Amino acid sequence: RGLHRPPGDVRKNYAAAAMNTACDVKLELPPVAQSVTTARHAVAELASALGAPKDDVALAVSEAVGNSVQHAFRFGKTGTIKLSAGPENGELLITVADDGVGIVPDLDNPGLGVGTSLISRLPREAIFESSDSGTTVTMRFELKGRNG
């Protein structure tokens, strides 16, 4: 399956574009603030449909996409943020990946450091991978009434 890149205005039709018949989300987003909202709404709908903790999923994805928007595309680097989410082995598996600069200190815009802490605490598991080719955050959330 290919990734869906929303047209110029990422707010339009995010739900229809994000969810396909296999009950998963695949988005390719520009590194702009509106992408956080687009991603949050798409995964919140999916979490509700699958029985995952909607608020935790929405917050963790907002933080991961927000970190990419704010920190990944510095030093003249451009690129995209890819979000994929779907059920796997009784869990909701979510991946947020950017092709930015990786996790490097941002002395001009350090942030509060709360985002990665929240991302680490909300899902059952969170894995951060970073290189000079970008950052990937993988999160696993339990589904209600299901065992791994």
Side-chain angles (χ1 to χ4, degrees):
R1 292 176 235 192
L3 292 173
H4 173 78
R5 173 177 275 165
D9 184 355
V10 295
R11 293 172 291 193
K12 293 181 181 175
N13 301 320
Y14 67 84
M19 294 190 71
N20 67 29
T21 57
C23 198
D24 63 359
V25 171
K26 293 198 182 296
L27 293 173
E28 188 168 313
L29 301 163
V32 298
Q34 185 59 45
S35 292
V36 176
T37 303
T38 300
R40 179 177 60 245
H41 287 292
V43 296
E45 284 190 25
L46 180 63
S48 288
L50 294 174
K54 177 183 172 181
D55 293 340
D56 289 354
V57 168
L59 181 55
V61 168
S62 293
E63 291 295 334
V65 173
N67 280 347
S68 290
V69 168
Q70 186 172 8
H71 301 292
F73 301 99
R74 296 178 281 146
F75 317 119
K77 186 146 184 163
T78 60
T80 58
I81 302 163
K82 294 178 183 177
L83 167 69
S84 65
E88 182 180 284
N89 299 323
E91 298 178 310
L92 174 56
L93 174 65
I94 300 172
T95 302
V96 176
D98 65 59
D99 51 3
V101 298
I103 298 175
V104 294
D106 187 351
L107 301 178
D108 294 327
N109 190 12
L112 300 174
V114 175
T116 53
S117 177
L118 278 172
I119 294 167
S120 296
R121 292 180 181 173
L122 293 170
R124 183 189 65 75
E125 176 182 63
I127 299 170
F128 297 81
E129 299 172 275
S130 180
S131 72
D132 58 3
S133 298
T135 300
T136 300
V137 180
T138 304
M139 301 170 276
R140 294 181 180 277
F141 292 86
E142 293 182 12
L143 302 180
K144 287 183 185 175
R146 300 196 183 192
N147 296 321

